Amino acid sequence: MSLRDYAEVLVDIAYEAGRRKFRPSDNFRDTAATLIAWGDEFSRQHGDANRTEKEYLDEIYRFTDEKLRSVPSKNDPNAEFDIAFLNRTALERHGYDTATITDGDLQKLAERMGDYYCESSKFSEDLRTACGDFGLKFRDTTNPK
């Protein structure tokens, strides 16, 4: 993919993210890094596509829409925060082959790990310990005063 083609993909993704007021944190560099990673992933997936076809732009917007829905924005009152973080290095360190895994696959795997952990018996105990370390007070809702 040429630098110009890559730049156009990145601009399309950034434009759509800006139009929808995407802001995962107060740190601009975090947002920029996220958008660049999305541009990289899209470019890997569609490197040899014909960019003059209308469907190509539609594919960029579908890709961006999926990404924007998968990452909560800072101002979203229903924001969820990932409890698991995975990268290729961690998977390889545990013996897994990462040659064909995409960034989207990594995110889905991390979400699945988070779901499994949050549903496990250990989660409640670890949450209580972490909240206590953080200084949050426990409010027993089963015995109202």
Side-chain angles (χ1 to χ4, degrees):
M1 173 176 277
S2 75
L3 181 58
R4 176 160 177 85
D5 290 341
Y6 176 78
E8 285 183 11
V9 166
L10 193 55
V11 167
D12 285 333
I13 290 171
Y15 175 81
E16 189 63 20
R19 188 179 74 74
R20 292 172 50 183
K21 298 180 178 21
F22 173 70
R23 192 176 77 149
S25 76
D26 286 328
N27 185 331
F28 166 75
R29 288 284 158 218
D30 289 343
T31 302
T34 298
L35 296 176
I36 290 168
W38 292 353
D40 291 347
E41 182 179 347
F42 185 87
S43 297
R44 280 192 308 275
Q45 291 175 359
H46 303 280
D48 58 353
N50 183 349
R51 283 161 190 70
T52 60
E53 294 180 10
K54 180 185 181 311
E55 291 80 19
Y56 183 74
L57 283 176
D58 291 340
E59 191 59 35
I60 290 174
Y61 292 120
R62 270 193 296 277
F63 174 87
T64 305
D65 182 59
E66 180 182 312
K67 291 296 185 182
L68 290 170
R69 282 187 281 113
S70 72
V71 178
S73 185
K74 181 180 181 293
N75 297 328
D76 182 354
N78 297 314
E80 295 179 2
F81 298 93
D82 293 335
I83 196 162
F85 173 78
L86 284 181
N87 60 28
R88 286 170 182 80
T89 304
L91 288 174
E92 290 166 357
R93 189 173 52 245
H94 289 275
Y96 293 96
D97 179 9
T98 62
T100 60
I101 196 165
T102 66
D103 293 349
D105 293 337
L106 282 172
Q107 184 171 349
K108 288 175 187 171
L109 184 57
E111 289 170 0
R112 187 169 291 171
M113 285 183 61
D115 290 345
Y116 289 155
Y117 178 64
C118 288
E119 297 298 322
S120 76
S121 59
K122 183 120 172 65
F123 178 75
S124 183
E125 177 186 328
D126 289 344
L127 180 63
R128 185 178 290 242
T129 300
C131 288
D133 292 347
F134 194 71
L136 289 177
K137 303 286 184 218
F138 180 73
R139 182 179 48 146
D140 187 354
T141 57
T142 60
N143 291 322
K145 292 180 180 182

